[in-house]
Amino acid sequence: MTASPLRNRIGQVFVPVRDMPAAVAWYSALLGLDPGGTSHEGRIHDLPTEGEVGLALDAHHPGFTADGPPRFFWWVDDLTAVRDHLDALGVERVGDVTDIGSVAFLQFRDPDGNLLMACERR
């Protein structure tokens, strides 16, 4: 196998959004964060994360389509609590908790239609 100059380590995940203020408010409420400020002329908003992988809202390409698989997932300890939290916020859930053996997951959409997921190890 040939060595690669790419490190096998994710640095940042970008989530495309159309309405930055609405997306910042939604993600801040979802994650219980202080909204903070945006950068790059209001087109990038870095959300604080635990661990090394960053999460940024990106309004540079408002014509994106939100189809396809989940953009990423969050590890959680209690999917029932997550489901209740999503319901309290009025978040659109896609189905209910699904258990596939090694993990259970719950999918939901952000205001731009991006499919997101929460996973609990089993």
Side-chain angles (χ1 to χ4, degrees):
M1 176 174 274
T2 304
S4 173
L6 294 171
R7 293 178 68 194
N8 189 11
R9 181 183 240 164
I10 303 298
Q12 180 113 335
V13 173
F14 288 86
V15 177
V17 300
R18 293 180 185 90
D19 181 340
M20 183 62 78
V24 169
W26 188 87
Y27 278 88
S28 295
L30 179 72
L31 298 171
L33 301 172
D34 179 356
T38 60
S39 63
H40 297 82
E41 299 174 345
R43 292 191 184 131
I44 295 288
H45 183 86
D46 292 307
L47 295 163
T49 59
E50 296 177 13
E52 295 182 9
V53 180
L55 179 59
L57 305 178
D58 183 352
H60 281 98
H61 305 284
F64 74 92
T65 61
D67 51 338
R71 299 232 179 239
F72 61 90
F73 70 84
W74 283 281
W75 284 120
V76 301
D77 295 322
D78 183 348
L79 276 175
T80 301
V82 171
R83 182 182 57 211
D84 294 346
H85 179 62
L86 296 175
D87 290 348
L89 293 173
V91 172
E92 176 191 351
R93 286 193 285 119
V94 178
D96 204 356
V97 173
T98 302
D99 191 330
I100 60 171
S102 60
V103 298
F105 64 87
L106 182 62
Q107 296 183 349
F108 53 98
R109 295 196 182 277
D110 76 2
D112 287 295
N114 292 306
L115 188 61
L116 306 170
M117 187 164 61
C119 288
E120 178 183 331
R121 285 186 172 100
R122 296 294 178 163

